[in-house]
Amino acid sequence: MGNTPRATRKYPASSPLVGYVLRRLGTSVLLLFGVTIVTFALANLVPGDPIAAALGEGAASNPATVAAYIQERGLDQPLPVQYANYIGGLFQGDMGVSLRTAQPVASDLAKAVPATVEIALLAIVVSLGVGVALGSLAAYRRGKISDQLVRVLSLIGLSIPTFWMALVSFNFFFLQLRIAPGAGRLSPVLPPPPTVTGFYTVDSLLAGQWVTFTDALAHLMLPVFVLSLFTIGLLTRFVRTSVLEVLDADYVRSGRAKGLSSRRLLFGYVLRGASLPILTIVGLAFGTLLSGTVLVEAVFAWPGLGSYAYNSATSLDLPGVMGVGLVVGVVYLTINFAVDLLYGVLDPRVRLA
Amino acid sequence: MRTQFRYVAAAFGLTASLALAGCAAAAPEATDSIVIDTAFTLETSDPGRNYVPTGYMVSKALYETLLDFAGSDESTPVPGLATFTQNDDATVFTFTLEDGRVFSDGSAITADDVVFSLNRVAGMTESKANFLMGGITVTKIDDMTVELSTETPSLKLPALMTNPSLAILNSKLVIENGGTTDDSDAAEEFLNSTSAGSGPYILDRINFESQVVLTENENYNGDEDIDFTRVVIRNVSEAATQKINLEGNDSQIAVDLSGDQVAGLSEGINVFSTPSAQTIFLLINQNSEVSSVTSNPDFANAVRYALDYPGLLELAGAGSAQATGVIPPSFLGALADGVEQDLDAAAASLEASGYNGESITLEYPNDYPVGGVSFTPLAERIQSQLADAGITIELAPAPFTTQIDRYVTGAEAFSIWFWGPDYADSANFLPFAAGQKVGLRAGWTAEQDSDVVNLAAAAENATNVDERETAFSNFAEALQKRGPFVPLIVPGSNIATADYISGVAYNSTWTMDIAELQAK
């Protein structure tokens, strides 16, 4: 075996990894199709009159306006035809027109999604750094005061209502201490940077706008802090449990017996061994952050996916609701797909299963 | 142990450095700018297609209309871009443009611009504002004069001409960019990126989800004296955030604070509180197929006189007032006094109604506060007050989107709803008449009260203002005495500002005129 040429290690179409990827991809596409059916059905089964909600009392009393509105949006077609039109539009990047903003949903979401991804990415990075550090510390110091303290802190992080924490932290850091900026993605006097990625921090750096960059970064801090608390609590507890399991494993005891340094033991053995379950939680947490930032975005006037979802739902903007549902579905499927792939890469047993 | 400490220190260091970045970037300031926080309702900056409150606030700053309202008085239109006269039948209105007025590109405003702008709205059937031009014919008399005519008397027409949807556009510029006077109009995209009006401000940039930026119109030659050369209108949907932003001087005006929130504001902030134009009312269905109990007019009277209105008003906070009728206080024909609690009259009416203690279901939207008034505590207090009068109420809250279907189809026997004007005129409240839209939602057909039908017609067809005011008062009085509605509260509008700002005046259509804001 030792003399086997490396070329034979490439993955042919029949290799377990390629088959595994194709299977997962196929499943994701089917699930995505299911998501479109569910969001379309739910949006159209909701009681209420979206046309009246969109037009208002005055315009809804005007038959010409109602007729023109219905015809322009194809709402006079049977539901299966509307669904077929919706799917046909999706293939061309057309997600319909928002009843609330009168703008293409795809264009609305193109602005909202980067705003949410920007805080979610930063929140997950902060959560991962703090959560892994605190979880590892607690596991290494099992039963000691530091372990008890970390466990209590993580429980507090998990228990504090996000909306309340957002309001309190905004009040405290902005209004009382004056060390955080006000709500929104940028100070009102600053124009947004030219759009490249939709992330203000990245786009301002690309444009060489240092003031805009620091202002955008400052505006990210409080939402990221609030969003991170729950995820830090979750990750800390999970990392602690995972690390404790690995610490009891034979290969770690062997490594310790061989006199490996604590750092090498932690990164080379313990965290690597605990990485698969941690990866699952990080994936789920990231999905939750992307789809569950409604209240935090409301408090910080953050024009992201959560605000868009809330405003669409409360104004019966069905194309908007379907657009958000689809984006959230794609996000979860993509994350699950990525996590599954990483599982397959990290653990050969998975791709053979 | 030292290694572990380093990991923890690194984690906290990362957090601290992120926090320090927050400290480092203090918000830049611009003293000639003003920031207004409001919960957005915005879908276009094309005035002819706009029909939502934030859109009106923006349009009002960018464009001018033929007529205007002075301050918070919405009972009498005053000259805007034009003065007007009318014939005795109130069917022909002649508008004469003010000399020398120009658009933001410096070109003169002429009758052609008026004819195009109004006919554009009349021709765009898919525009939400289209109904405002229903039955109105526009004719150019000369370069500075335009005649608007209707087949029947229409004293509401001057008020309609204050509506920002009927703003006067630079017709040459708009036509060059796709503007027409029918459904083929394609100027919206152009008007979403620039403004083509004569208002004190021009559009700098707009994001329908986050903020609108306006800058001074250098060519403006109207009456307003502009103090702020740059205005930022931000979408802040959470009122608590609006309050904190204002207190922290991140914004200078907060539009959507509730009565409770303005009561707790810190020093250095002024509040302009006034009754809004929304009326919260009880609907008591007169259709016996919907309810054999509520359809008895005596039952409606029992409810009307059993309620303690000042007690209900306690739930509404600053700026609110008892609803004296379906017409709110700032409108023509509004009544001076509301119904007073009369427990003897309530008991007599209840007995006459034959009520036997049946439980009546009170339906209401529980997720849709109006002017800061949440319907759940209001419903609970009504339940308690009616229980004291011997009427048993069962509460049935539901989300707005679920509840509204039952309301508009007339399926609710007893419910709490609200009504606001589509434009600033008392004609907006005629749908409460028997046989009209809101009347029918309460199962009140024209045959059930021909007197109220006649009073509504008299108000609709009045040909002079005095006659019209009397007609609307008579209509409101009849509804107050025997209509299937019990007006409860006109919630307050509370516009909070930094104390160096003056000139705030509430308007039911455009909320406030940004151009009138002044630094003291």
Side-chain angles (χ1 to χ4, degrees), chain A residues 99-186:
Chain A
L99 306 184
R100 179 174 58 87
T101 68
Q103 307 299 311
V105 171
S107 147
D108 283 346
L109 290 174
K111 291 172 193 147
V113 170
T116 298
V117 171
E118 196 172 21
I119 43 174
L121 268 179
L122 199 50
I124 207 72
V125 168
V126 171
S127 304
L128 199 56
V130 178
V132 168
L134 291 181
S136 304
L137 173 72
Y140 271 81
R141 307 283 298 164
R142 178 168 34 179
K144 305 278 173 51
I145 290 178
S146 51
D147 177 31
Q148 306 283 6
L149 188 65
V150 167
R151 287 166 68 187
V152 169
L153 288 175
S154 65
L155 191 62
I156 291 172
L158 284 169
S159 312
I160 292 177
T162 307
F163 180 71
W164 179 83
M165 190 62 203
L167 272 177
V168 167
S169 63
F170 188 39
N171 193 307
F172 185 67
F173 292 109
F174 165 63
L175 192 58
Q176 308 299 330
L177 297 184
R178 304 275 177 177
I179 60 169
R185 294 184 77 185
L186 275 181

Side-chain angles (χ1 to χ4, degrees), chain B residues 70-293:
Chain B
S72 293
D73 180 5
E74 297 183 67
S75 63
T76 313
V78 298
L81 274 176
T83 55
F84 82 100
T85 57
Q86 68 180 72
N87 68 352
D88 290 342
D89 293 339
T91 54
V92 178
F93 300 80
T94 306
F95 291 84
T96 305
L97 288 168
E98 188 181 347
D99 278 334
R101 297 302 311 283
V102 295
F103 289 112
S104 56
D105 66 355
S107 60
I109 301 172
T110 69
D112 290 329
D113 297 306
V114 178
V115 173
F116 171 79
S117 303
L118 298 183
N119 279 340
R120 180 170 178 262
V121 177
M124 295 190 302
T125 50
E126 87 280 18
S127 163
K128 295 179 189 179
N130 172 266
F131 79 102
L132 294 172
M133 285 299 294
I136 300 174
T137 304
V138 188
T139 311
K140 175 183 172 182
I141 304 299
D142 59 40
D143 277 353
M144 297 302 280
T145 315
V146 172
E147 189 177 275
L148 303 189
S149 55
T150 57
E151 288 192 2
T152 55
S154 182
L155 273 181
K156 68 182 179 187
L157 190 143
L160 287 174
M161 291 305 130
T162 69
N163 193 297
S165 294
L166 303 182
I168 307 308
L169 282 64
N170 183 334
S171 61
K172 187 168 176 285
L173 192 58
V174 175
I175 290 169
E176 278 172 9
N177 288 280
T180 66
T181 54
D182 56 32
D183 274 330
S184 66
D185 178 270
E188 184 179 11
E189 195 175 339
F190 168 71
L191 292 168
N192 278 341
S193 58
T194 189
S195 47
S198 61
Y201 290 95
I202 56 174
L203 185 67
D204 183 58
R205 61 176 184 271
I206 188 166
N207 180 319
F208 296 103
E209 284 289 301
S210 56
Q211 70 177 26
V212 184
V213 180
L214 315 176
T215 52
E216 185 180 6
N217 171 8
E218 302 286 351
N219 284 321
Y220 175 71
N221 61 351
D223 298 334
E224 304 289 2
D225 181 19
I226 308 302
D227 242 11
F228 298 102
T229 57
R230 191 168 177 279
V231 179
V232 180
I233 305 164
R234 287 196 308 194
N235 184 11
V236 181
S237 59
E238 188 57 46
T241 304
Q242 288 188 23
K243 180 173 182 278
I244 295 173
N245 277 346
L246 180 64
E247 290 180 320
N249 199 31
D250 195 55
S251 67
Q252 285 71 51
I253 298 186
V255 173
D256 304 299
L257 302 190
S258 69
D260 290 342
Q261 283 170 323
V262 297
L265 281 170
S266 58
E267 284 184 11
I269 291 171
N270 287 337
V271 182
F272 183 86
S273 295
T274 185
S276 67
Q278 301 275 352
T279 301
I280 299 173
F281 60 89
L282 280 172
L283 176 150
I284 303 167
N285 204 302
Q286 299 302 290
N287 183 348
S288 57
E289 289 179 10
V290 174
S291 167
S292 59
V293 177

Side-chain angles (χ1 to χ4, degrees), chain A residues 211-353:
Chain A
V211 173
T212 306
F213 169 74
T214 53
D215 193 72
L217 188 62
H219 278 81
L220 276 166
M221 291 308 106
L222 279 185
V224 165
F225 167 69
V226 173
L227 276 178
S228 301
L229 283 182
F230 178 84
T231 321
I232 287 172
L234 187 72
L235 272 171
T236 301
R237 294 179 80 80
F238 207 82
V239 167
R240 180 183 179 275
T241 307
S242 299
V243 168
L244 279 177
E245 281 174 15
V246 177
L247 283 175
D248 290 337
D250 290 341
Y251 69 92
V252 174
R253 283 205 208 99
S254 302
R256 193 177 283 139
K258 286 177 184 173
L260 291 175
S261 70
S262 294
R263 178 187 297 180
R264 184 146 181 225
L265 200 60
L266 178 66
F267 289 107
Y269 287 72
V270 178
L271 284 182
R272 194 170 173 186
S275 63
L276 285 186
I278 293 173
L279 186 66
T280 308
I281 285 295
V282 169
L284 286 174
F286 188 58
T288 306
L289 284 173
L290 281 176
S291 59
T293 59
V294 177
L295 298 174
V296 172
E297 288 189 5
V299 169
F300 293 106
W302 200 264
L305 194 61
S307 297
Y308 192 79
Y310 174 79
N311 292 331
S312 299
T314 51
S315 56
L316 275 183
D317 175 10
L318 303 188
V321 170
M322 288 191 291
V324 171
L326 189 63
V327 166
V328 170
V330 169
V331 164
Y332 269 102
L333 287 175
T334 307
I335 289 171
N336 273 323
F337 183 61
V339 168
D340 285 350
L341 281 189
L342 285 171
Y343 257 64
V345 170
L346 292 172
D347 188 346
R349 290 170 299 175
V350 175
R351 58 178 181 260
L352 293 171

